[in-house]
Amino acid sequence: MVAPTWITPGCVQSWENKERFHTAWTKRGLKAIAVQNPLSSLADDVTATHRVIGMQEGPVLLVGHSWGGAVISAAGNHAQVKGLVYVAAGAPESGQSFGDWWKDYTPAPAAAEIKPYGDGYVALTPEGVRKHFVQDIPADEADIVYATQGPPAARCFSDKVLETAWRSKPSWYLVAAQDETIPPAVQRDSADRMGAQTLVLQSSHVPMLSQPEAVAEFIASAAASIDG
């Protein structure tokens, strides 16, 4: 059985939020492990991901959301990784950073709500989370997302992926068509460039919270195709 390994995106950290999509996966017979990224650099997040991959028996399907897409693009070169699933996620080309990947697109509304968070780190404002990150989930759940977000180091946006794994491994991409954090246009264009099997959901940046069953089914299909 392929073990889908979820790459925690940095702004969806609470157990309440993880439980929702973890339950949707496990009832389909899938093993799901969340990587707790330090969010201090791309290299540090890749190291954390490789540590988790190394603890699994057999092949792994990496699933990345948002910033986690850059992480799986780099970490996915690990020999145990057999496929990559991008959920409204960054998909840099070799030699690109997460910031490079979407710099030619009109910024989404959430970009203006990313503010400094201490020395060298950034985070979304409460309004940015509620209105532009998780606008299709209940307000009380949105407040949990804000309160438990993991601020990434600003350098994460400029750290470059040296060799992107989607060039050599099967890929899937879930486009969030109502995303106000990462422009849907860059998501669609990336999916096309990757030759990824693609699903489009009418969702905010967090389809795994607003439509967990659809996301879980998409990942399960990817896992089944690798197993088969």
Side-chain angles (χ1 to χ4, degrees):
M1 170 65 70
V2 172
T5 302
W6 181 265
I7 305 305
T8 305
C11 287
V12 186
Q13 297 281 16
S14 73
W15 170 249
E16 292 88 344
N17 290 322
K18 288 175 185 173
E19 184 179 23
R20 179 177 300 176
F21 50 78
H22 186 275
T23 299
W25 291 0
T26 54
K27 75 180 184 181
R28 288 169 169 81
L30 299 173
K31 177 184 178 184
I33 306 293
V35 177
Q36 298 300 320
N37 289 327
L39 303 174
S40 47
S41 70
L42 176 61
D44 290 346
D45 285 4
V46 169
T47 296
T49 303
H50 281 172
R51 184 180 305 118
V52 173
I53 293 171
M55 293 300 296
Q56 310 311 307
E57 296 182 4
V60 168
L61 176 68
L62 285 184
V63 182
H65 167 253
S66 197
W67 159 249
V71 179
I72 69 170
S73 295
N77 292 301
H78 192 289
Q80 279 179 254
V81 176
K82 303 305 178 185
L84 310 164
V85 180
Y86 293 78
V87 179
E93 178 60 272
S94 298
Q96 275 191 327
S97 67
F98 185 74
D100 294 335
W101 169 70
W102 62 351
K103 67 181 176 62
D104 294 331
Y105 294 79
T106 301
E113 298 297 327
I114 299 173
K115 304 295 184 182
Y117 192 88
D119 186 18
Y121 286 76
V122 296
L124 277 166
T125 65
E127 182 173 352
V129 171
R130 296 186 191 112
K131 291 187 176 181
H132 306 304
F133 193 81
V134 296
Q135 70 270 20
D136 56 353
I137 67 173
D140 58 339
E141 295 181 19
D143 289 343
I144 292 173
V145 172
Y146 168 73
T148 59
Q149 67 176 306
R155 66 165 292 175
C156 289
F157 297 96
S158 58
D159 286 348
K160 296 186 183 298
V161 175
L162 299 182
E163 181 181 355
T164 194
W166 57 257
R167 280 291 180 188
S168 59
K169 299 191 178 182
S171 299
W172 290 258
Y173 201 109
L174 193 159
V175 175
Q178 302 301 320
D179 199 329
E180 296 188 9
T181 299
I182 291 181
V186 67
Q187 297 180 40
R188 291 190 180 95
D189 289 350
S190 292
D192 288 344
R193 183 174 69 250
M194 297 160 69
Q197 296 189 48
T198 304
L199 173 67
V200 179
L201 292 179
Q202 298 301 315
S203 166
S204 71
H205 190 53
V206 291
M208 66 283 186
L209 300 185
S210 61
Q211 300 185 48
E213 294 295 333
V215 175
E217 191 60 35
F218 185 60
I219 295 168
S221 176
S225 71
I226 292 175
D227 272 343

